[in-house]
Amino acid sequence: MKNSGYYRFPDILDDIVVFVSEDDLWQVSRNGGLARRLTANLSHLSFPKISPDGEWLVYAASEEGYSELYVMPVNGGFQKRITFLGTISTPLGWSEDNKYIFFSSNFEQAYGTSIYKISIEGGEPIKISIGNANKISFGEKGVVIGRHNRDAARWKRYKGGTAGEIWIDNENNGEFHKLIDLKSNLNCPMWIKSRIYFISDHEGIANIYSCTAKGRSIKRHTDHKEFFVRNASTDGNMIVYHAGADLFTYDIRKKIAKKIEIEYGSSLTQTNRKFISANKYLQGFDLNYSGTHTTAAVRGKVVSFANWSGPISQIGKKDGIRYRMPTWLKDEDKLVVTTDEIDGEDRIVLVNIQENSEELFKKIKLGRIHGIAPSPQDISVMITNHKNELIHLDLEKKKAKTIDTSDYQRIGTVNWSPDGKWICYDYANTMKSQIIKIAEISTGKTYEVTKPLRFDFSPIFSPDGKYLYFIGDRTFYPIYDAVQFELSFIKSSKFYAIPLEQSTKSPLILEPKSPASSNKDLENAKKGEKKKEVKVKIDFEDIEKRLIELPIEAGFYDTLHVYERKIFFRELPKKFIKSEESDWLSAPKPTFLIKAFDLDKQTEEILIKEISDFKLSLPGNNMIVRKSGELSIYKTGEKPKEKIKNKYSLEGGAINMTRIKISLKPREEWKQMYREAWLLQREHFWTKNMSGINWEIVYQRYFPLLDRVGCLSGKCKVN
């Protein structure tokens, strides 16, 4: 079987062509033949440039953080880092005397890039005084530069305000003017003898063109009709570039473009099956009804397991499918999962853990699913999607019914009433306001229960079915900014309750107590009472006027839950952003708090610090907490124990995530990612006809390239 790679970022000097494949540098003759690997680095390598004397290579690599410049002998050898700028730097070429390297970087400015030169030995970069630019090419008398020059394939046929431009200084006197005014995204200017060569997509597909130094006599030199010409480079006699997955040369004298036939001998190590840890790729989680089992979504795979013992069971197909949002139902043996196994579009799978069976709802199309809320009483779920729809899916009858649709935003939090007959949800009624609505499942009738002020969200019914709680951005306490003359509203969220019946008193009004009656007496009396079946009754007349503000200080809150007479919520404390916390290369640290407000004591306390997210089980008596990639389970309302012998136990609460090992076949995963990206673009595009582009043809054009990709960064550049 012929082994072919995905070839990128070529450079040429005489017979030598250096290019990137599988994130490493390779060398091959411009006439083709066996390619030789030059590096075996751990990071992504890009933009190699050969020195004019053919002795050295400079390239960009992120071996120690940001993309910096490295040099090495052209045939391989010791690699030396020569820039230490702490930002992305890109090599552009060499000086004629082989002593200096030209590169672009933004280390001295927040926006745009400038061009610098640095000695091959390293040292302090010297700025070239030509203004903002990121490409440069020298002629016999002058210089040509590229501004906003980016790979045209990343945004095909873009003609906006940051489209690529080419500027020229014909006399090398520092006076630049625009070379040519094409409605295009120009890139890669190359001054070769008396003409300026460049990449342009003004005729639809990017090809190589040229014009005179005065911007006249435009000529087209290549004729690619499917894939864009990308990352062109030259030695003054030949131009080398890549299109699709292949390398091509253009002979300037003969005016002939030719594909380089490469014999590619690679073991394709990055495509081998591998195993990953769950805590690094945890995407979703849920706790079953009794709190004994957990399900988790890990990098597109779903597993279920007993919390502290037993095997890990993977749900669904092993590879090539993405599973999301596993959600337990009231029946502890059953859960639902989102799958994209039919044409990449979301469907629901009903999984029976006990029977080890799966039922795929093939015919029910639900759009791109964003949320699943299980009924507390039967085998049905509420689903929200990218079409701003709220859908009731009856898993027994296999029927879906749209309950509501917003014209403005996606529907967010959805929660059921304890009797399973009503749902509450936040609903965008304008682009700038969001209200709370209630819907009756049997009739599909919807009711507005709050008036638009700003944003009301995270609604939930109380377990006794008497109240609706929610969070609202209804508080406006301004503070003065210390730097600019303006006011800011840092903390605007508060908690509210609505009695569902007119006769129901405020949840803040407590039962009268007698000094002779202890708390134990009251508790024993309650235990003696039979647990009544909850039936929710709602008086919708003037319901918005029954709004009660809870005595919790305004803050930055979300994720509201209620169990018994306590309200649980997530708070993000507002604090200063330290420089070390704002590094985009670092994973975000969990900074939320879980807080509880006791309606009986009317006091607030912090339960757990530094968490990412949390959920309650369906009955509410167990709580699962996420801290980055770690999961823990506690009795709702209890703080974690500090001194324990084994944290991975019922007493300690933590789940040992190292029990979960997920196998991956990278190429199967890349194909799924490609299909999902294609679908997301289609589903969220601003017009249904895709601006006249046949989107299915686009999919079929690029999909075969995935079989040639040997690394994830290559897959991300398939365009």
Side-chain angles (χ1 to χ4, degrees):
M1 183 176 69
K2 185 179 180 182
N3 193 8
S4 296
Y6 188 83
Y7 315 130
R8 301 182 289 155
F9 307 118
D11 193 37
I12 188 169
L13 180 69
D14 299 329
D15 185 59
I16 300 173
V17 172
V18 176
F19 61 95
V20 173
S21 184
E22 298 178 65
D23 291 330
D24 278 314
L25 300 183
W26 296 69
Q27 187 185 109
V28 71
S29 165
R30 77 179 190 190
N31 296 313
L34 183 64
R36 184 166 64 90
R37 196 178 207 131
L38 301 179
T39 62
N41 288 37
L42 298 177
S43 73
H44 310 315
L45 275 59
S46 58
F47 300 103
K49 298 294 178 184
I50 309 170
S51 62
D53 62 5
E55 295 292 327
W56 297 95
L57 276 175
V58 63
Y59 54 91
S62 51
E63 293 291 291
E64 298 172 326
Y66 287 92
S67 180
E68 302 277 6
L69 267 58
Y70 290 75
V71 293
M72 64 178 284
V74 74
N75 292 317
F78 179 75
Q79 305 173 47
K80 178 184 177 182
R81 179 175 172 179
I82 61 171
T83 63
F84 300 83
L85 303 178
T87 188
I88 297 174
S89 301
T90 304
L92 302 177
W94 293 75
S95 61
E96 289 186 358
D97 60 7
N98 305 290
K99 293 181 179 180
Y100 290 93
I101 296 160
F102 294 97
F103 69 98
S104 65
S105 180
N106 65 342
F107 78 96
E108 288 185 318
Q109 58 204 74
Y111 301 100
T113 58
S114 295
I115 293 178
Y116 303 81
K117 70 176 183 179
I118 189 171
S119 168
I120 188 175
E121 302 296 332
E124 191 72 19
I126 301 170
K127 189 172 185 177
I128 310 298
S129 299
I130 54 175
N132 282 355
N134 62 338
K135 298 288 183 181
I136 192 167
S137 181
F138 297 93
E140 291 183 3
K141 295 183 179 180
V143 60
V144 63
I145 60 173
R147 288 179 173 164
H148 311 302
N149 276 203
R150 300 177 182 89
D151 183 5
R154 75 179 260 281
W155 195 338
K156 296 177 173 65
R157 292 168 288 280
Y158 172 69
K159 298 178 178 65
T162 59
E165 298 176 346
I166 298 175
W167 289 62
I168 190 168
D169 173 6
N170 296 84
E171 303 298 331
N172 204 18
N173 58 10
E175 295 184 7
F176 285 85
H177 63 272
K178 191 181 288 189
L179 172 68
I180 195 167
D181 194 9
L182 280 177
K183 289 184 178 180
S184 177
N185 196 4
L186 305 178
N187 191 20
C188 297
M190 298 166 283
W191 197 328
I192 304 172
K193 298 178 181 178
S194 62
R195 297 185 69 84
I196 312 298
Y197 291 77
F198 55 89
I199 295 175
S200 174
D201 63 355
H202 65 280
E203 293 183 309
I205 300 295
N207 276 282
I208 292 178
Y209 297 79
S210 73
C211 65
T212 66
K214 293 185 178 181
R216 300 171 185 168
S217 181
I218 298 176
K219 295 180 181 179
R220 176 171 167 172
H221 300 281
T222 59
D223 193 29
H224 293 274
K225 295 180 179 178
E226 286 194 322
F227 301 112
F228 274 42
V229 168
R230 306 171 63 187
N231 296 300
S233 187
T234 185
D235 64 355
N237 297 306
M238 305 281 287
I239 295 174
V240 66
Y241 60 90
H242 70 101
D246 292 303
L247 302 184
F248 296 81
T249 57
Y250 176 74
D251 190 314
I252 295 168
R253 183 177 63 83
K254 296 180 179 179
K255 300 179 181 180
I256 295 174
K258 180 183 176 182
K259 177 181 170 182
I260 302 177
E261 298 292 345
I262 297 175
E263 295 178 33
Y264 189 67
S266 171
S267 60
L268 299 170
T269 304
Q270 295 188 57
T271 68
N272 293 341
R273 185 178 68 152
K274 60 181 180 178
F275 292 85
I276 61 167
S277 57
N279 55 359
K280 189 176 180 180
Y281 298 100
L282 181 63
Q283 296 168 322
F285 58 93
D286 199 22
L287 194 60
N288 75 338
Y289 192 89
S290 62
T292 59
H293 287 68
T294 298
T295 181
V298 181
R299 195 157 163 169
K301 311 290 180 73
V302 169
V303 295
S304 68
F305 50 91
N307 296 333
W308 296 287
S309 62
I312 307 295
S313 300
Q314 183 173 335
I315 293 169
K317 297 179 180 178
K318 300 297 182 184
D319 295 290
I321 306 296
R322 185 183 180 192
Y323 296 95
R324 301 185 298 124
M325 295 183 289
T327 305
W328 289 101
L329 302 177
K330 184 184 179 183
D331 184 337
E332 292 196 309
D333 294 332
K334 295 179 181 179
L335 58 87
V336 293
V337 181
T338 300
T339 177
D340 64 356
E341 59 190 277
I342 299 181
D343 297 328
E345 300 189 28
D346 281 356
R347 299 290 196 281
I348 287 292
V349 176
L350 176 61
V351 181
N352 190 314
I353 300 295
Q354 191 69 29
E355 297 177 0
N356 193 26
S357 63
E358 300 170 11
E359 183 179 4
L360 177 62
F361 290 73
K362 297 180 180 180
K363 296 181 180 180
I364 300 178
K365 295 185 178 182
L366 299 164
R368 175 73 175 183
I369 298 174
H370 284 277
I372 302 175
S375 168
Q377 296 296 333
D378 57 24
I379 308 299
S380 65
V381 294
M382 297 304 304
I383 289 173
T384 58
N385 65 15
H386 77 292
K387 299 177 181 179
N388 307 343
E389 295 173 333
L390 178 62
I391 300 171
H392 176 242
L393 176 60
D394 190 318
L395 297 166
E396 288 184 336
K397 297 179 180 178
K398 299 179 177 58
K399 289 184 179 180
K401 179 174 70 172
T402 301
I403 301 294
D404 207 347
T405 305
S406 171
D407 291 331
Y408 301 99
Q409 300 286 351
R410 293 172 187 158
I411 291 170
T413 303
V414 181
N415 276 302
W416 291 74
S417 63
D419 60 359
K421 297 184 182 300
W422 306 85
I423 54 167
C424 59
Y425 53 99
D426 45 50
Y427 177 90
N429 63 320
T430 71
M431 286 298 293
K432 295 185 178 180
S433 64
Q434 187 170 276
I435 62 175
I436 304 300
K437 296 182 77 173
I438 290 177
E440 188 175 22
I441 299 299
S442 60
T443 64
K445 191 172 182 180
T446 65
Y447 304 85
E448 297 181 4
V449 297
T450 64
K451 292 296 182 184
L453 181 60
R454 193 163 179 265
F455 295 105
D456 296 333
F457 57 97
S458 198
I460 190 168
F461 289 96
S462 63
D464 59 10
K466 294 181 179 180
Y467 302 96
L468 178 73
Y469 294 97
F470 68 94
I471 305 172
D473 286 342
R474 294 166 166 256
T475 304
F476 306 102
Y477 297 146
I479 63 169
Y480 282 103
D481 191 278
V483 178
Q484 302 183 50
F485 184 65
E486 62 181 23
L487 295 170
S488 297
F489 301 88
I490 294 180
K491 297 181 177 181
S492 62
S493 299
K494 293 205 74 173
F495 296 88
Y496 300 88
I498 298 177
L500 296 178
E501 290 189 272
Q502 291 182 354
S503 59
T504 303
K505 60 187 178 182
S506 166
L508 300 174
I509 299 175
L510 305 179
E511 292 290 337
K513 295 179 181 179
S514 163
S517 299
S518 67
N519 289 335
K520 273 191 175 181
D521 293 332
L522 291 172
E523 287 174 9
N524 291 334
K526 287 180 180 178
K527 285 179 181 177
E529 295 176 1
K530 289 185 178 180
K531 191 174 181 181
K532 296 180 181 179
E533 185 179 345
V534 176
K535 290 186 178 181
V536 177
K537 296 180 181 180
I538 306 175
D539 296 329
F540 287 104
E541 185 177 353
D542 294 330
I543 190 171
E544 73 280 356
K545 295 180 180 179
R546 301 199 290 270
L547 192 71
I548 299 166
E549 183 180 300
L550 301 184
I552 302 173
E553 185 181 349
F556 190 71
Y557 306 116
D558 64 6
T559 315
L560 177 61
H561 295 281
V562 182
Y563 178 60
E564 293 181 339
R565 290 276 295 168
K566 286 187 177 182
I567 296 171
F568 302 90
F569 53 93
R570 190 173 69 162
E571 178 184 13
L572 176 62
K574 289 286 187 179
K575 62 179 183 179
F576 296 110
I577 300 175
K578 299 177 184 178
S579 59
E580 62 267 23
E581 293 176 352
S582 60
D583 185 357
W584 66 273
L585 287 174
S586 302
K589 298 178 181 178
T591 55
F592 289 96
L593 307 174
I594 297 179
K595 283 189 167 184
F597 179 77
D598 191 316
L599 287 163
D600 291 328
K601 297 177 182 179
Q602 296 192 13
T603 57
E604 179 184 337
E605 66 173 337
I606 297 173
L607 291 182
I608 308 176
K609 296 180 179 180
E610 296 181 345
I611 67 106
S612 303
D613 198 5
F614 79 105
K615 291 181 178 181
L616 301 190
S617 58
L618 264 180
N621 57 343
N622 289 291
M623 176 172 64
I624 184 167
V625 179
R626 175 180 180 176
K627 288 188 176 184
S628 295
E630 299 293 333
L631 294 176
S632 300
I633 299 170
Y634 308 105
K635 185 177 179 180
T636 301
E638 290 189 356
K639 295 182 179 181
K641 296 177 182 178
E642 294 183 0
K643 295 182 179 180
I644 50 172
K645 293 182 179 180
N646 179 16
K647 72 174 185 176
Y648 299 122
S649 64
L650 176 62
E651 183 185 21
I655 294 175
N656 187 354
M657 300 297 283
T658 61
R659 294 165 57 200
I660 306 171
K661 296 294 183 182
I662 301 295
S663 70
L664 291 177
K665 292 183 179 178
R667 277 189 169 164
E668 294 298 314
E669 186 180 54
W670 298 340
K671 290 176 181 178
Q672 183 281 326
M673 292 165 66
Y674 173 82
R675 178 72 183 182
E676 184 172 345
W678 179 86
L679 272 168
L680 287 173
Q681 184 81 345
R682 187 193 73 183
E683 292 299 307
H684 293 85
F685 203 70
W686 68 278
T687 179
K688 286 185 178 180
N689 71 351
M690 299 298 293
S691 295
I693 301 295
N694 188 319
W695 204 232
E696 183 62 34
I697 288 178
V698 171
Y699 177 85
Q700 297 299 337
R701 177 184 301 164
Y702 290 95
F703 185 78
L705 299 184
L706 295 174
D707 287 329
R708 298 185 57 177
V709 171
C711 61
L712 179 59
S713 67
K715 177 265 165 194
C716 294
K717 298 298 183 181
V718 172
N719 55 4

